[in-house]
Amino acid sequence: MNTTWQAELAESFTRLSDLLDFLELDEIHRPEFQAVTERFSFRVTPSYARRMSKRNPRDPLLLQVLPDARELIDHPNYASDPVGDLDAVTAPGVLQKYRGRVLLITTGACAIHCRYCFRRNFPYDANMISKRQEQDALDAIRADRSIREVILSGGDPLVLSDERLARLIEQIGAIPHIRRLRIHTRLPIVLPSRVTAELIAALTETRLKSVVVIHANHANEFDRDVSEALAAFQKARICLLNQTVLLKGVNDDAEILIRLSETLFENGVIPYYLHLLDKARGTQHFDLTTDKALAIYQAMRETLPGYLLPKLVREEAGRPYKTPVG
Ligand SMILES: *Cc1c(COP(=O)(O)O)cnc(C)c1O
Ligand code: SF4
């Protein structure tokens, strides 16, 4: 049976022309569009689209999902596995780069396709835990007593049903050396109806301490539904953090990022990381020079209280933690 969020997800825009009609933007003729979306398909939820301003081709939410011919340029510095994910696979669907923490690739699916995504070229079919492989992944975690925290990632782990998530969380909770459960998700932002009572129950009924890391890039991504979804986590005393990707044309401006930090805090979310773009193939048009990033960060530091200043980091393959910048 479909719940509200699943029905809403099924109504997502999967054709750019439909979104441009909805936004009253004359469709710009794009002969290359087919080739661009063959590499990485187009997808956006109706809820997120409603937060875009009409008739504005530079809308910062639109730019995050708008296919662009520059995605087809193969630049030598932008690779298909920019952060060494494939070298970090320890069992099917299990990635370990950092001490004490493992990341589970639970699904390749997302509710929205962000054009700058670092995993846009990731071979999910071979590297995610299918239901069948779930036990192997859990066995690998059970066998390594140095692991303290399991991170559910993807894709977006909240695309999974409440039943499947509850079962997975229960099994992780049954491993004595695991203390924390983390969920990396963009769904509270792009599909706030996903934050169901059942999901909250699964996260509070476990003995594990739960941390939910959302992904917001701009204050315009918040509306009343998003605030209500975040309030549900807060009410359940689930720790809420945010990560942002610094993106040219979207949020490469100190004032925009200051406003984002303040909006996050008003919603009970602490800014965690501000990521420099991972150099994934087809994303170079979103990239900034490190000098520009540092200038933006300095202006944020001069304005925000320390607890609203995210850590500026870059991910480098083979390093034991995300590399602080500035
Ligand atoms: C980013 C990441 C983590 C989490 O790192 P934190 O610094 O703990 O947030 C864990 N595992 C992998 C593979 C990652 O890429
Ligand atoms: S939600 Fe995250 S994983 Fe999914 S496309 Fe966007 S950046 Fe990539």
Side-chain angles (χ1 to χ4, degrees):
M1 199 184 74
N2 270 359
T3 59
T4 314
W5 71 268
Q6 283 162 326
E8 218 180 296
L9 191 58
E11 282 163 17
S12 292
F13 291 96
T14 54
R15 282 173 26 172
L16 176 61
S17 54
D18 291 341
L19 177 69
L20 294 178
D21 284 349
F22 170 74
L23 295 175
E24 297 168 30
L25 279 168
D26 288 336
E27 191 177 348
I28 313 129
H29 184 59
R30 296 166 186 274
E32 73 287 350
F33 173 64
Q34 181 77 14
V36 174
T37 52
E38 263 167 27
R39 271 201 186 180
F40 186 49
S41 60
F42 173 77
R43 169 173 282 280
V44 62
T45 58
S47 161
Y48 193 71
R50 282 196 295 273
R51 284 170 254 158
M52 297 174 185
S53 51
K54 301 230 162 160
R55 296 176 296 280
N56 177 11
R58 306 298 302 162
D59 179 90
L61 278 57
L62 173 63
L63 289 182
Q64 294 180 55
V65 299
L66 189 66
D68 190 302
R70 289 171 293 180
E71 293 175 40
L72 297 172
I73 303 169
D74 277 323
H75 189 289
N77 295 344
Y78 295 79
S80 59
D81 181 22
V83 294
D85 274 352
L86 292 176
D87 288 338
V89 173
T90 57
V94 183
L95 256 68
Q96 182 163 19
K97 286 186 184 168
Y98 306 137
R99 194 174 291 170
R101 288 150 285 167
V102 287
L103 193 145
L104 282 187
I105 305 278
T106 54
T107 172
C110 279
I112 175 175
H113 286 177
C114 314
R115 307 314 297 179
Y116 54 84
C117 180
F118 71 116
R119 286 210 185 107
R120 53 176 285 156
N121 310 303
F122 191 78
Y124 283 110
D125 287 348
N127 292 291
M128 61 178 228
I129 45 167
S130 58
K131 264 191 188 160
R132 195 169 45 77
Q133 286 166 333
E134 209 166 273
Q135 289 314 317
D136 293 343
L138 290 164
D139 285 346
I141 295 169
R142 204 173 286 118
D144 183 348
R145 298 181 52 86
S146 71
I147 301 168
R148 291 279 180 275
E149 176 170 350
V150 176
I151 303 170
L152 304 185
S153 183
D156 199 309
L158 293 192
V159 166
L160 302 181
S161 69
D162 283 326
E163 297 72 36
R164 175 123 187 252
L165 278 170
R167 212 166 41 242
L168 188 58
I169 294 170
E170 201 178 296
Q171 295 186 85
I172 295 168
I175 304 175
H177 51 271
I178 304 302
R179 311 261 178 87
R180 298 182 300 274
L181 174 79
R182 190 185 333 177
I183 297 186
H184 278 190
T185 177
R186 193 145 159 72
L187 261 64
I189 296 292
V190 301
L191 190 72
S193 58
R194 175 63 189 93
V195 184
T196 58
E198 291 76 11
L199 173 66
I200 300 284
L203 292 174
T204 46
E205 282 162 12
T206 172
R207 72 172 173 84
L208 302 166
K209 287 276 177 235
S210 301
V211 183
V212 171
V213 185
I214 63 166
H215 169 184
N217 296 322
H218 197 290
N220 291 7
E221 293 177 353
F222 289 77
D223 67 1
R224 183 196 291 234
D225 292 343
V226 171
S227 293
E228 281 174 9
L230 296 172
F233 286 121
Q234 237 192 323
K235 209 169 148 207
R237 305 210 303 163
I238 294 162
C239 175
L240 282 171
L241 306 175
N242 178 65
Q243 40 189 352
T244 297
V245 184
L246 191 52
L247 298 165
K248 188 154 112 192
V250 173
N251 61 10
D252 55 338
D253 176 280
E255 264 180 47
I256 288 175
L257 291 169
I258 289 164
R259 194 155 62 88
L260 173 61
S261 272
E262 289 173 341
T263 305
L264 286 165
F265 189 67
E266 280 158 20
N267 285 280
V269 186
I270 295 292
Y272 179 37
Y273 280 140
L274 176 59
H275 292 270
L276 295 183
L277 187 78
D278 291 329
K279 296 187 182 305
R281 190 180 71 187
T283 65
Q284 63 275 6
H285 55 292
F286 285 110
D287 212 355
L288 267 67
T289 63
T290 306
D291 281 351
K292 175 88 200 285
L294 285 171
I296 293 169
Y297 195 59
Q298 182 59 23
M300 291 171 73
R301 179 151 35 209
E302 285 168 10
T303 308
L304 286 167
Y307 61 91
L308 293 188
L309 184 72
K311 297 178 183 71
L312 181 65
V313 293
R314 147 186 297 137
E315 187 156 345
E316 290 171 321
R319 294 286 298 258
Y321 47 84
K322 300 194 201 289
T323 314
V325 183

